[in-house]
């Protein structure tokens, strides 16, 4: 499998999925395409079967949780993640991956694939949306992070790798094949955080621009 740097993938087997039930999925598709990757919207179990990695976007985690149930995606996606599907959750997507969610709705479900505790809307009302430059492991210059009613990572298991921090707290983390950001790396046209995800999990390495 794999995608020659800078050119579209040749078959659906190379596709990176973007969960497209709700939220900010379109900007993720654009970033992935700029990296030369075939991006495919995932709304059904058949869509999921055709992808080799998945981005879970920002949006509203309670709504996404409900739609994951009604679409029939929750069970097959749980299985794929357990079987090693590379997943990158951003903002609401991160909430869906966390093992523990504080201030969630009682009926809100998560895949519990990443051993972190997150608090929904955890940055409080005063700074519920803000932007800041982040030092990210492996990147030679800062990445501009946009936080929108972002979840706050309040606990990180020791085995989780912290790739970026804001004010001493983890905001970009990875554990095995699961990566998550509390900010929105798809906004602003900078492909480097997505490239980090793809570089970790897909072969060959997509080209950065
Ligand atoms: N506050 C949202 C939630 O709980 C997440 C915000 C976002 O994804 N931008 O799902």
């Amino acid at each position: 499998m794999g995608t020659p740097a800078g050119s579209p993938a040749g078959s659906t087997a190379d596709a990176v999925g973007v969960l497209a039930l709700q939220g900010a999925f379109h900007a993720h598709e654009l970033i992935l395409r700029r990296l030369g990757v075939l991006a495919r919207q995932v709304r059904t179990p058949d869509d999921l079967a055709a992808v080799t990695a998945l981005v879970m976007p920002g949006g509203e985690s309670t709504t996404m949780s409900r739609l994951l149930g009604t679409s029939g995606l929750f069970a097959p996606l749980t299985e794929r993640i357990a079987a090693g599907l590379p997943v990158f959750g951003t903002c609401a997507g991160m909430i869906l991956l966390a093992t523990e969610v504080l201030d969630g709705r009682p009926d809100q479900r998560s895949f519990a694939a990443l051993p972190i505790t997150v608090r929904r809307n955890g940055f409080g009302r005063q700074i519920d949306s803000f932007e800041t430059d982040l030092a990210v492991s492996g990147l030679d210059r800062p990445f501009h992070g946009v936080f929108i009613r972002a979840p706050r990572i309040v606990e990180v298991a020791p085995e989780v790798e912290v790739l970026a921090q804001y004010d001493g707290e983890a905001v970009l983390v990875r554990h095995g094949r699961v990566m998550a950001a509390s900010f929105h790396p798809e906004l602003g046209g900078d492909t480097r955080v997505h490239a980090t995800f793809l570089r970790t999990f897909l072969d060959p390495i997509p080209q950065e621009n």
Side-chain angles (χ1 to χ4, degrees):
M1 77 174 213
T3 302
S7 70
S11 79
T12 52
D14 296 313
V16 173
V18 181
L19 187 67
L21 298 172
Q22 188 265 339
F25 53 87
H26 188 59
H28 282 287
E29 292 178 68
L30 296 178
I31 293 277
L32 291 168
R33 287 189 187 127
R34 284 184 56 193
L35 287 166
V37 168
L38 180 64
R40 186 184 165 125
Q41 294 184 1
V42 170
R43 291 196 174 84
T44 67
D46 282 350
D47 296 336
L48 178 64
V51 302
T52 53
L54 184 71
V55 175
M56 303 196 346
E60 178 48 58
S61 57
T62 55
T63 307
M64 275 191 227
S65 165
R66 182 171 50 77
L67 294 173
L68 281 162
T70 54
S71 64
L73 273 170
F74 197 91
L77 188 46
T78 303
E79 274 172 35
R80 288 291 303 276
I81 294 172
L85 179 75
V87 187
F88 181 24
T90 66
C91 207
M94 180 173 87
I95 297 171
L96 291 171
L97 291 170
T99 45
E100 198 171 341
V101 178
L102 306 177
D103 293 342
R105 270 182 31 174
D107 59 346
Q108 176 164 5
R109 291 197 292 174
S110 113
F111 295 104
L114 181 62
I116 58 173
T117 301
V118 301
R119 185 178 295 284
R120 284 182 66 223
N121 307 319
F123 287 97
R125 286 173 72 183
Q126 256 110 56
I127 52 162
D128 65 1
S129 296
F130 61 99
E131 302 186 14
T132 188
D133 283 341
L134 301 166
V136 176
S137 289
L139 302 188
D140 55 0
R141 44 192 174 81
F143 188 93
H144 192 68
V146 179
F147 293 73
I148 304 170
R149 293 176 57 73
R152 189 170 195 153
I153 301 176
V154 296
E155 214 175 307
V156 182
E159 64 270 30
V160 174
E161 188 183 354
V162 176
L163 300 176
Q165 294 184 318
Y166 166 69
D167 221 5
E169 294 181 12
V171 292
L172 180 65
V173 293
R174 179 170 58 211
H175 179 240
R177 298 184 144 209
V178 180
M179 182 166 144
S182 45
F183 57 96
H184 280 258
E186 78 283 12
L187 300 177
D190 189 336
T191 57
R192 293 177 297 155
V193 167
H194 288 74
T196 298
F197 172 61
L198 297 176
R199 188 182 303 112
T200 308
F201 304 119
L202 298 181
D203 184 35
I205 297 167
Q207 197 176 43
E208 292 188 43
N209 49 358

